[in-house]
Amino acid sequence: MLKKNAGRTFRTMQVMKSTQETQYLILCDFDETYYPHEGTDAQLIKLHELEQYLNYLGERHLAKIGWVTGSSLNQILQKMKTAGIAYLPHFIASDLGTEIWMTDFDGQLHSLPQWESSIRNSGFSRYAVEEICNELRSIYNIRLQAQTQHGQAPHKMNFYYYVKSEAGTRYDLNVIKQLAFNYGIQVNINRCNPKAGDPHQAYDIDFIPNGAGKKQAAHFMRTYYNVPIERTIAFGDSGNDIEMLKAAKYGYLLQNATPEAKSLYPNIAPFPYAEGILHVCKTIFP
């Protein structure tokens, strides 16, 4: 059965159990954290075990579960179908937290008006991003390749930057950061993960509104549910997850995290993907 909401079509799925009261907040990156792109039988068995366990935490420990991801909502729903994921979380912060979707009890997703208003009033301009790209190309000979295979979201424009020499890359990335700052645009830069379908020897360059991002979405949802930081848990696998992990009391990279991420953050689960999430959660919850 398909339902329409907020101008989009969503497949009705089971929703993780919850109550109005919230005691814990569990945040997961999606690609290569919750969702393994390789999708082996062993990985999917553990993923489905994780779904059942998180559903139990929602009912027994009043936990709210959310995916905080760079993927779009439509990409997430397609990947859920591919992996046979049966449960929607309580919310999804998609497109690097530029959109937040809440899940109704009947499996219907709708945007969160408070966050939508904040993003709309952020001053983000796609024209400004185009000007940044033009200036990078014409003045600094820095060329960014649009990630057209993913499409461009209303408030996120994403590109690839291909690595040059170590010194040249470091210089170029600093120029990109400075220009984004000059134009009042936030830029998220992290090393690409080929396991998630990205090219080798490249960086993700994501231009988003000031006040958006994984860390900011995590803070907003913690306030929204009135959960103290002491009861916040987060999981990720790449450099763009680090700030979100730092915003939680219990923040963990999974064992399959990128070398870049592991060099930036010390807390690493002993297992990859769902197995790592299960291990950490079963240590925290009695």
Side-chain angles (χ1 to χ4, degrees):
M1 178 180 178
L2 297 175
K3 290 189 177 183
K4 286 189 175 181
N5 199 357
R8 302 189 185 211
T9 303
F10 307 114
R11 184 176 301 278
T12 301
M13 300 174 186
Q14 297 180 76
V15 182
M16 290 181 183
K17 294 179 180 178
S18 68
T19 64
Q20 294 285 40
E21 184 182 359
T22 303
Q23 291 292 325
Y24 291 90
L25 187 64
I26 302 176
L27 307 166
C28 290
D29 171 56
F30 190 73
D31 294 279
E32 287 300 289
T33 297
Y34 196 94
Y35 171 78
H37 280 250
E38 188 179 7
T40 66
D41 289 343
Q43 288 171 341
L44 295 182
I45 288 170
K46 280 294 180 184
L47 174 54
H48 299 148
E49 181 184 340
L50 174 62
E51 286 192 277
Q52 295 294 333
Y53 181 72
L54 292 177
N55 189 46
Y56 158 78
L57 292 183
E59 182 177 36
R60 175 66 177 81
H61 292 280
L62 309 182
K64 291 293 193 302
I65 319 299
W67 296 335
V68 185
T69 173
S71 290
S72 71
L73 185 61
N74 287 336
Q75 289 167 346
I76 293 165
L77 294 175
Q78 182 57 51
K79 291 168 185 174
M80 290 180 71
K81 182 179 179 181
T82 299
I85 295 174
Y87 288 89
L88 281 163
H90 302 110
F91 67 92
I92 301 172
S94 62
D95 287 305
L96 281 180
T98 59
E99 297 182 352
I100 295 181
W101 303 89
M102 307 300 293
T103 310
D104 289 339
F105 289 108
D106 64 354
Q108 197 166 8
L109 293 155
H110 60 87
S111 59
L112 191 60
Q114 302 95 309
W115 187 250
E116 193 174 46
S117 175
S118 174
I119 296 298
R120 188 171 54 248
N121 295 326
S122 66
F124 180 82
S125 165
R126 297 176 68 86
Y127 173 77
V129 175
E130 291 169 0
E131 286 295 297
I132 291 170
C133 293
N134 289 336
E135 192 168 334
L136 287 170
R137 183 174 60 253
S138 62
I139 297 177
Y140 299 97
N141 195 31
I142 300 172
R143 298 179 181 274
L144 302 182
Q145 178 183 313
Q147 296 187 30
T148 52
Q149 77 276 22
H150 301 310
Q152 300 290 5
H155 294 99
K156 185 189 78 164
M157 297 181 70
N158 46 324
F159 301 83
Y160 290 128
Y161 167 87
Y162 288 90
V163 172
K164 301 177 182 177
S165 66
E166 183 178 346
T169 296
R170 185 166 57 248
Y171 174 81
D172 288 354
L173 295 182
N174 284 333
V175 170
I176 294 169
K177 292 175 184 176
Q178 185 61 53
L179 279 183
F181 176 82
N182 293 347
Y183 277 86
I185 301 289
Q186 184 176 332
V187 63
N188 182 79
I189 301 175
N190 68 284
R191 195 71 181 247
C192 286
N193 186 354
K195 289 183 179 179
D198 288 328
H200 292 269
Q201 298 298 311
Y203 281 82
D204 276 314
I205 310 292
D206 301 301
F207 296 101
I208 60 177
N210 282 321
K214 291 190 175 185
K215 172 185 175 182
Q216 292 83 351
H219 278 306
F220 183 87
M221 295 311 297
R222 188 162 61 81
T223 302
Y224 180 84
Y225 287 121
N226 193 28
V227 174
I229 191 170
E230 290 77 13
R231 295 177 183 168
T232 305
I233 307 158
F235 300 95
D237 75 289
S238 67
N240 73 1
D241 296 317
I242 302 300
E243 292 304 312
M244 177 180 74
L245 302 185
K246 291 179 178 179
K249 171 67 174 178
Y250 305 97
Y252 284 85
L253 288 170
L254 300 180
Q255 189 56 238
N256 58 286
T258 64
E260 177 198 33
K262 289 180 176 179
S263 72
L264 296 171
Y265 192 75
N267 294 348
I268 302 172
F271 303 106
Y273 303 108
E275 189 175 4
I277 299 172
L278 280 164
H279 175 83
V280 171
C281 286
K282 288 181 179 180
T283 301
I284 295 172
F285 293 97

